[in-house]
Amino acid sequence: MDISELVTTAQALVAPGKGILAIDESTGTIAKRFATVNVEPTEQSRCHYRSTLLTTPGLGEHISGAILFDETLRQATPDGQPLVRVMQEQGILPGIKVDKGAHELAGHGGEKVTEGLDGLRERLQEYYALGARFAKWRAVITIGDGIPSSACIEANAHALARYAALCQETGLVPIVEPEVLMDGNHDLDDCFDVTEATLRSLFAQLYDQDVILEGVVLKASMVISGSDCDERADVEEVAQATLTCLLNAVPAAVAGIVFLSGGQGDQEATAHLDAMNRMGEFAWPLSFSYGRALQQQALKTWAAHQDNPEPAQQALAHRAKMNGLAALGEYDPALEK
Ligand code: 13P
């Protein structure tokens, strides 16, 4: 294992003012996103959309890496440029989603465990050869009546740690993503407790599996009120609770923490990240790895102007810039105009 390569990649992913673009929606998820803008989901339309995003001029200024789905790593732009090469030329690290999705956890109604460890070593070796330098595995934890169970938290943490160890063996930086879902009417305190328990379990498992934390990026969900909560916490409260939780549960050696957007509005996700970065300097850089909060506007614009990439690319470049500023604690909502 080349530890210095892992550390260099991990640090590049969270370089100052940069974050990660998540465009790794599975075939089913991208079909749902396309349905919202009335686009037929075909291999060609997915490739056209993702090529449009990845060929955005100057994207590498605020985007350090992009997480792709298996299909995209093998695709080329309509004029024949392999997407991996397009990314490399922009200084954007290619990443790959490697889990096989969240499935019902046996004996635990309403809870899920992420699968995909079988044959993972061989898949990772192929992805590295194709140019990927980091990977992602997402676990989902649901807050509800009597859940999450410790069985669900531990099963997911164990799988994340086994995935992370395999990634490092292959030279890929593992992004470990234990997402506590925003769905539900729980309050900020409930989310805090579940997030803290999940992170503590994850780092215990990473330690057991001898994963090198300097070569890991944590993709965290923010500590936030449930989407159906009657009184939702404001930006300062979310930022403070998230930081307190992370400071309690995430070792300082971790290379960086990037957030998912998880259903937050575009500007809301930017404002939360900015507020945290204004609260001080921490052992780990705090940045973004947004999917929806980077793509929402670009997707709508692309669907409406498929013959002209520029408006969609401008929409993506704008959100990347806003979030790049938030990663430095320098975002100003007036810039949205
Ligand atoms: P969202 O930012 O849309 O939650 O997606 C991030 C992601 O990659 C989830 O795995």
Side-chain angles (χ1 to χ4, degrees):
M1 182 188 326
D2 183 344
I3 295 175
S4 73
E5 181 193 1
L6 290 171
V7 172
T8 303
T9 303
Q11 288 178 352
L13 287 171
V14 290
K18 291 192 182 191
I20 299 169
L21 170 64
I23 49 168
D24 60 326
E25 299 84 1
S26 62
T27 310
T29 302
I30 195 72
K32 283 190 217 152
R33 305 270 190 269
F34 277 13
T36 65
V37 291
N38 297 315
V39 172
E40 190 70 29
T42 63
E43 188 186 342
Q44 200 187 6
S45 62
R46 292 189 292 268
C47 184
H48 187 277
Y49 171 60
R50 287 164 168 161
S51 298
T52 303
L53 299 182
L54 291 171
T55 53
T56 298
L59 190 65
E61 261 176 71
H62 303 289
I63 298 295
S64 56
I67 317 170
L68 311 180
F69 190 60
D70 178 277
E71 171 183 272
T72 319
L73 190 71
R74 304 167 194 278
Q75 283 172 331
T77 60
D79 62 3
Q81 293 250 56
L83 287 176
V84 168
R85 185 146 11 102
V86 168
M87 294 169 70
Q88 288 163 341
E89 282 168 4
Q90 293 243 46
I92 296 172
L93 288 162
I96 180 77
K97 169 197 174 75
V98 302
D99 66 68
K100 297 270 188 186
H103 298 261
E104 299 297 324
L105 179 62
H108 293 80
E111 297 197 280
K112 298 204 157 159
V113 64
T114 300
E115 294 181 1
L117 290 171
D118 288 356
L120 182 58
R121 174 178 276 127
E122 292 72 24
R123 288 197 292 129
L124 295 175
Q125 288 166 351
E126 188 198 3
Y127 288 140
Y128 188 95
L130 287 169
R133 288 297 174 269
F134 71 101
K136 180 188 108 171
W137 178 290
R138 171 175 176 258
V140 292
I141 306 292
T142 308
I143 303 181
D145 213 5
I147 59 172
S149 63
S150 57
C152 174
I153 290 176
E154 280 168 32
N156 277 295
H158 180 76
L160 274 163
R162 296 219 6 235
Y163 140 83
L166 281 164
C167 282
Q168 291 192 334
E169 177 190 276
T170 317
L172 293 160
V173 166
I175 294 199
V176 291
E177 180 182 11
E179 175 172 1
V180 176
L181 293 179
M182 205 162 94
D183 303 348
N185 60 4
H186 53 273
D187 65 15
L188 191 74
D189 291 343
D190 296 328
C191 184
F192 186 105
D193 292 344
V194 170
T195 306
E196 185 182 20
T198 300
L199 291 172
R200 285 188 188 280
S201 176
L202 171 62
F203 284 99
Q205 292 282 349
L206 291 172
Y207 179 68
D208 277 352
Q209 299 298 328
D210 291 322
V211 172
I212 295 153
L213 297 182
E214 290 85 343
V216 165
V217 173
L218 171 66
K219 179 157 172 166
S221 43
M222 296 183 195
V223 175
I224 191 166
S225 320
S227 41
D228 298 326
C229 178
D230 289 336
E231 270 188 60
R232 306 201 64 218
D234 66 19
V235 171
E236 292 298 305
E237 289 167 327
V238 168
Q240 191 60 64
T242 303
L243 271 176
T244 305
C245 186
L246 294 173
L247 287 165
N248 273 284
V250 181
V254 168
I257 301 176
V258 293
F259 294 100
L260 58 99
S261 58
Q264 296 181 45
D266 301 359
Q267 295 184 29
E268 185 187 12
T270 307
H272 284 145
L273 176 63
D274 183 64
M276 282 184 247
N277 279 309
R278 284 177 192 269
M279 286 175 177
E281 280 214 26
F282 308 96
W284 2 253
L286 293 173
S287 189
F288 60 93
S289 173
Y290 296 153
R292 283 162 286 178
L294 278 170
Q295 289 183 67
Q296 240 141 213
Q297 197 55 42
L299 173 64
K300 276 189 214 144
T301 314
W302 167 77
H305 309 272
Q306 287 196 38
D307 46 352
N308 178 10
E310 271 173 41
Q313 293 178 336
Q314 278 166 8
L316 175 64
H318 174 72
R319 287 260 52 85
K321 183 173 179 189
M322 294 301 104
N323 286 302
L325 289 169
L328 300 169
E330 294 174 4
Y331 167 66
D332 177 354
L335 297 170
E336 298 287 359
K337 301 192 181 73

